[in-house]
């Protein structure tokens, strides 16, 4: 079947059209991407438009995304988990069943953990992993707890308060509580990731679980199961996520694939074989979504239980140690060559954006002190804010536009997650300082 016939059979179904549109009732805009735009010679094959354009998105056979930010009472907490392979990026498409079997022990453990908290979730299965949908109410006590715990840089707070009438993503300011709660949601997912990581290390898992697509330094591995929480490094208004029942066409865009995949909601008791069978068949996917409605109840009590556990954890103590540290002033020219080389004009872009480089750099400073680490992160943020390193190509819309993203928040995020991981891997509690008011 050609991709055009797949589009017609799949997105031509009223079942799928209604299901997609139902997920935009509290969304300010929609985003689409896919081969159609690439074939039309778009420099950056991503289209952003009002929700009223969803029919044309589906007519064009686009992958469809909604904003992470809700216009209603819902505060979404979205978790992206997937297989990665640094040496063979198309490996999952050639060995999909095997890879999903490798991921299955992690999924069972994650489900058990979320069930124990009483958190409601929907599992959307992509061609390379899973997306978990969860939500709490912005009116709830736990939302206020997350907002009090979260971090927001001064520069990001200013961006949240700013309105850009010509930018559909920023026509309304982001309340500071929403921005801080978003950061804290990332902390909670980081905490669960580290718990699962420790629990699974006792078994015989084929894969390591890592935060972001970055192998553990010294592991000798080039593949793994990624808890990709990197969306929480960036402003809430910039983040979108693929909707349930969307097409998934990375295989066509990047790896020479011919047929789209479909994001399949994995329901209780559904086998991996059943999911993958429906994923590559337009007719079977439509049949699977008959009589399905993406009902997702609030998990206020469940996240309150998770937050309470997080507050008593080593992870949170390390977060506090990192956040309370005052940056030590550093001169990058005085630092070791293995650090200094990533800051040269020839290497800074993309070295200072590469998770594996950042992790090794952060590990180096974490072994010294959080103050020196914070000093190094300030230098990284200054580099991000320097346009001479060509982070963003405004004519092709590629790279990172740090005027919209936030350099300080991003550097802080990477410092926190890898500082925490380094300390946990190298002694945990024995290395935690006494935290006042902790």
């Amino acid at each position: 079947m050609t991709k055009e016939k797949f589009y017609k059979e799949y997105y031509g179904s009223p079942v799928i059209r209604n299901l997609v549109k139902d997920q935009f009732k509290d969304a300010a805009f929609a985003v689409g991407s896919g081969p159609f735009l690439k074939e039309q010679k778009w420099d950056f094959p991503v289209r952003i438009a009002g929700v009223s354009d969803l029919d044309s998105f589906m007519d064009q056979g686009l992958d469809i995304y909604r904003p992470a930010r809700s216009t209603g009472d819902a505060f979404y907490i979205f978790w992206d988990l997937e297989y990665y392979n640094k040496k063979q990026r198309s490996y999952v498409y050639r060995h999909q069943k095997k890879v999903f079997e490798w991921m299955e022990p992690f999924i069972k453990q994650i489900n058990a953990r979320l069930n124990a908290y009483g958190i409601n979730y929907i599992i959307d299965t992509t061609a390379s992993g899973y997306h978990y949908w969860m939500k709490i109410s912005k009116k709830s006590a736990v939302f206020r707890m997350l907002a009090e715990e979260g971090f927001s840089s001064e520069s990001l707070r200013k961006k949240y308060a700013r309105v850009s009438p010509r930018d559909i993503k920023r026509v309304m300011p982001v309340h500071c509580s929403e921005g801080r709660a978003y950061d804290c949601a990332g902390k909670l997912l980081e905490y669960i990731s580290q718990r699962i990581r420790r629990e699974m290390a006792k078994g015989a898992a084929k894969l390591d679980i890592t935060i972001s697509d970055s192998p553990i330094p010294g592991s000798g591995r080039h593949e793994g199961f990624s808890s990709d929480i990197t969306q929480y490094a960036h402003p809430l208004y910039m983040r979108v996520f693929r909707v349930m029942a969307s097409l998934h066409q990375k295989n066509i865009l990047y790896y020479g694939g011919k047929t789209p995949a479909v994001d399949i909601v994995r329901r209780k008791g559904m086998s991996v074989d059943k999911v993958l069978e429906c994923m590559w068949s337009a007719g079977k996917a439509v049949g699977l979504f008959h009589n399905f409605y993406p009902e997702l109840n609030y998990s206020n009590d469940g996240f309150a239980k998770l937050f309470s556990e997080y507050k008593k954890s080593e992870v949170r103590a390390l977060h506090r140690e990192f956040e309370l540290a005052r940056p030590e002033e550093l001169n990058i020219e005085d630092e070791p060559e293995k650090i200094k080389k990533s800051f040269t004009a020839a290497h800074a872009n993309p070295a200072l954006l590469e998770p594996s480089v950042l992790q090794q750099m952060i590990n180096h400073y974490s072994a010294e002190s959080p103050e020196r680490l914070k000093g190094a992160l300030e230098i990284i943020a200054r580099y991000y804010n320097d346009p001479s390193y060509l982070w963003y190509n405004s004519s092709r819309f590629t790279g990172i536009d740090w005027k919209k993203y936030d350099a300080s928040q991003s550097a802080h995020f990477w410092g926190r997650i890898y500082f925490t991981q380094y300390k946990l891997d190298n002694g945990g509690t024995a290395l935690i300082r006494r935290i006042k008011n902790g």
Side-chain angles (χ1 to χ4, degrees):
M1 178 183 288
T2 65
K3 66 179 186 297
E4 288 77 18
K5 288 183 178 179
F6 196 108
Y7 299 157
K8 186 174 182 179
E9 181 176 355
Y10 184 69
Y11 274 152
S13 167
V15 169
I16 302 304
R17 292 204 168 224
N18 291 335
L19 174 55
V20 168
K21 291 177 182 179
D22 280 342
Q23 297 172 71
F24 285 84
K25 291 178 179 177
D26 60 350
F29 59 89
V31 175
S33 69
F36 175 84
L37 300 179
K38 191 173 183 180
E39 291 161 5
Q40 299 301 307
K41 309 302 182 184
W42 285 45
D43 289 326
F44 184 54
V46 173
R47 177 183 169 196
I48 181 168
V51 173
S52 60
D53 277 20
L54 281 169
D55 279 312
S56 68
F57 278 28
M58 287 184 272
D59 291 341
Q60 294 172 357
L62 302 183
D63 298 13
I64 300 174
Y65 305 77
R66 62 150 291 151
R69 187 185 184 197
S70 163
T71 58
D73 292 336
F75 180 80
Y76 290 101
I77 298 174
F78 187 71
W79 194 6
D80 184 357
L81 297 131
E82 62 183 2
Y83 169 82
Y84 70 92
N85 189 312
K86 289 292 187 180
K87 290 187 177 179
Q88 301 180 62
R89 296 185 184 275
S90 63
Y91 186 91
V92 66
Y93 297 105
R94 293 183 285 109
H95 305 281
Q96 196 180 38
K97 186 176 186 299
K98 180 167 66 174
V99 169
F100 270 79
E101 288 172 349
W102 291 343
M103 291 189 286
E104 189 68 2
F106 293 101
I107 296 305
K108 288 181 177 178
Q109 191 81 348
I110 290 167
N111 291 350
R113 179 65 50 202
L114 295 178
N115 291 338
Y117 295 130
I119 292 174
N120 302 306
Y121 55 89
I122 293 176
I123 308 176
D124 193 34
T125 314
T126 75
S128 58
Y130 295 91
H131 294 163
Y132 280 73
W133 291 55
M134 300 164 282
K135 70 179 182 181
I136 60 176
S137 170
K138 295 176 188 175
K139 298 178 179 179
S140 65
V142 71
F143 174 82
R144 293 190 291 275
M145 293 176 195
L146 267 61
E148 290 173 3
E149 183 73 14
F151 171 83
S152 183
S153 68
E154 182 180 356
S155 53
L156 181 55
R157 289 195 294 273
K158 291 178 180 178
K159 289 174 181 174
Y160 277 151
R162 196 175 303 145
V163 170
S164 299
R166 294 183 180 180
D167 185 345
I168 197 170
K169 292 182 177 180
R170 304 179 69 186
V171 294
M172 295 183 297
V174 177
H175 194 277
C176 60
S177 63
E178 202 170 353
R180 289 171 65 93
Y182 185 67
D183 173 76
C184 188
K187 289 179 176 178
L188 296 183
L189 297 182
E190 179 188 349
Y191 165 67
I192 299 177
S193 300
Q194 293 294 359
R195 254 199 97 149
I196 298 293
R197 189 167 164 257
R198 285 190 163 188
E199 292 166 353
M200 296 300 289
K202 299 173 184 177
K206 162 68 179 175
L207 303 172
D208 291 324
I209 180 170
T210 65
I211 297 178
S212 86
D213 300 351
S214 180
I216 297 170
S219 68
R221 294 190 175 186
H222 61 268
E223 61 181 340
F225 182 65
S226 173
S227 172
D228 187 357
I229 60 170
T230 56
Q231 70 178 69
Y232 296 97
H234 299 303
L236 174 58
Y237 56 72
M238 294 301 294
R239 304 311 301 175
V240 299
F241 51 86
R242 192 189 306 267
V243 300
M244 291 170 264
S246 166
L247 291 181
H248 190 284
Q249 299 177 89
K250 287 183 180 179
N251 63 317
I252 297 176
L253 283 170
Y254 307 116
Y255 307 120
K258 303 298 181 184
T259 307
V262 173
D263 273 19
I264 299 293
V265 173
R266 186 175 179 184
R267 279 159 273 179
K268 188 174 181 179
M270 188 181 292
S271 69
V272 168
D273 286 345
K274 179 67 173 177
V275 171
L276 299 184
E277 176 188 351
C278 295
M279 180 177 290
W280 299 98
S281 168
K284 289 179 180 179
V286 171
L288 196 63
F289 283 118
H290 269 286
N291 302 316
F292 171 77
Y293 183 76
E295 185 174 351
L296 179 62
N297 295 325
Y298 288 125
S299 293
N300 300 331
D301 292 341
F303 271 97
K305 185 175 180 180
L306 168 57
F307 182 75
S308 177
E309 186 178 283
Y310 162 76
K311 288 269 284 188
K312 301 171 186 174
S313 71
E314 291 179 83
V315 169
R316 196 266 183 170
L318 288 165
H319 286 172
R320 295 296 291 157
E321 179 181 11
F322 171 77
E323 291 184 346
L324 292 173
R326 297 179 65 86
E328 180 180 326
E329 186 172 346
L330 302 181
N331 181 349
I332 204 63
E333 292 302 318
D334 297 333
E335 298 305 298
E337 182 61 29
K338 66 178 182 179
I339 301 296
K340 190 165 56 176
K341 67 180 181 181
S342 294
F343 288 86
T344 62
H347 294 99
N349 184 3
L352 296 181
L353 297 175
E354 175 57 48
S356 61
V357 174
L358 291 171
Q359 185 172 9
Q360 292 182 29
M361 190 181 299
I362 290 164
N363 284 357
H364 169 82
Y365 287 108
S366 296
E368 296 183 344
S369 73
E371 290 79 14
R372 284 182 60 76
L373 171 58
K374 293 288 279 290
L377 295 172
E378 284 197 342
I379 296 174
I380 291 173
R382 288 203 297 272
Y383 270 66
Y384 287 163
N385 281 323
D386 184 343
S388 70
Y389 290 97
L390 306 178
W391 306 106
Y392 182 63
N393 185 323
S394 58
S395 62
R396 298 181 65 85
F397 305 104
T398 55
I400 296 183
D401 183 355
W402 289 110
K403 292 179 180 178
K404 293 183 178 181
Y405 288 86
D406 190 79
S408 294
Q409 188 80 13
S410 181
H412 178 97
F413 169 87
W414 289 107
R416 187 196 79 217
I417 63 167
Y418 286 140
F419 170 82
T420 300
Q421 182 164 306
Y422 177 84
K423 292 291 188 177
L424 291 173
D425 289 350
N426 291 274
T429 304
L431 293 173
I432 301 177
R433 297 177 176 184
R434 185 179 183 86
I435 306 297
K436 294 181 180 181
N437 302 319

